[in-house]
Amino acid sequence: MKTLVVTGHPRKNSLTAQVVDRFSGTLRETGHEVELADLHAEGFDPVLREEDEPDWNDTRKVYSPAVVGEMRRVERNEATVLIFPIYWWSFPALLKGWIDRVWNHGWAYGDATYPHRRVWLLGIAGTDQAAYAKRGYDQAMKIQLQVGILDYCGVEEGRLEILYGSIEGADYVDQILADTVRLAKAF
Ligand SMILES: Cc1cc2nc3c(=O)[nH]c(=O)nc-3n(C[C@H](O)[C@H](O)[C@H](O)COP(=O)(O)O)c2cc1C
């Protein structure tokens, strides 16, 4: 399947970048095609300005050239995977802004659905699963990201996977990378 991997991290040697490499490499080994959208390297502007505001009375509004370019990049693929560090129990602003601007009215919702049937979200968490479960952050993220965005935009094979413990030590990092390969093989 032609798959768009969308990511964004300020540091090239981040664990997020390693997960992107591992996931993309495994997808390619199993016969998928991968196109990388590295929003940080590309300098994507996450701020939604007036030209990209939805017009609730016009589902055919033409958005800014940057947003139309992003829409075309999605459309030439068949699936999307967002790989991101979890910041404040959610997307980093860069990826949230990509959703705000690109997953727009008339294209991803309104009288439309997101072009892909399969969208996976792989979030890399600093702390461990117990810390998430203690306050319900995992459930909160599932409702906000999977129900609130993927389901809302008609994605039929939406999935949120949280990879826990990036700052808890080497064993956790090894497990995150092993889980990345396992998930890519199941894609
Ligand atoms: C601004 C900021 C907010 C963060 N918020 C969270 C958080 O809410 N929960 C969490 O588990 N980790 C949090 N972290 C840790 C990141 O998730 C961590 O950087 C990530 O797991 C992966 O490591 P990497 O940055 O090397 O890719 C945060 C990090 C930063 C810089």
Side-chain angles (χ1 to χ4, degrees):
M1 199 180 285
K2 290 170 81 170
T3 303
L4 183 65
V5 172
V6 183
T7 191
H9 195 289
R11 193 162 30 83
K12 286 208 179 312
N13 68 350
S14 66
L15 182 58
T16 301
Q18 293 174 55
V19 169
V20 168
D21 283 350
R22 201 63 72 95
F23 194 85
S24 304
T26 307
L27 280 195
R28 289 192 181 101
E29 282 166 22
T30 50
H32 299 281
E33 274 181 52
V34 177
E35 180 174 359
L36 178 65
D38 183 341
L39 302 181
H40 194 273
E42 295 170 5
F44 179 78
D45 176 7
V47 179
L48 186 150
R49 300 174 203 283
E50 189 175 348
E51 58 188 346
D52 292 321
E53 262 198 308
D55 178 346
W56 306 119
N57 298 314
D58 180 8
T59 55
R60 288 192 285 192
K61 174 171 174 171
V62 177
Y63 297 103
S64 65
V67 163
V68 171
E70 291 296 327
M71 289 171 170
R72 296 295 96 85
R73 176 153 71 170
V74 169
E75 288 162 2
R76 65 176 177 254
N77 284 280
E78 298 164 306
T80 307
V81 181
L82 274 75
I83 301 179
F84 55 96
I86 294 174
Y87 287 176
W88 296 110
W89 327 110
S90 189
F91 289 130
L94 182 58
L95 273 86
K96 176 60 165 47
W98 187 75
I99 301 274
D100 290 347
R101 292 185 68 200
V102 181
W103 291 43
N104 218 322
H105 183 240
W107 185 79
Y109 68 97
D111 64 356
T113 55
Y114 187 74
H116 299 164
R117 186 186 173 83
R118 185 179 304 175
V119 180
W120 282 18
L121 310 176
L122 305 190
I124 301 147
T127 52
D128 63 13
Q129 190 161 15
Y132 274 67
K134 185 176 173 189
R135 293 196 167 80
Y137 293 135
D138 41 6
Q139 278 308 308
M141 285 185 66
K142 200 172 174 94
I143 292 167
Q144 187 188 329
L145 305 183
Q146 191 170 322
V147 179
I149 300 176
L150 303 186
D151 292 357
Y152 187 77
C153 293
V155 173
E156 290 181 37
E157 296 178 29
R159 182 163 170 173
L160 167 68
E161 288 288 338
I162 301 175
L163 302 168
Y164 295 99
S166 70
I167 57 178
E168 302 286 349
D171 290 351
Y172 282 85
V173 170
D174 289 347
Q175 188 61 52
I176 286 172
L177 293 171
D179 284 343
T180 299
V181 172
R182 176 181 57 76
L183 286 166
K185 285 182 175 165
F187 187 76

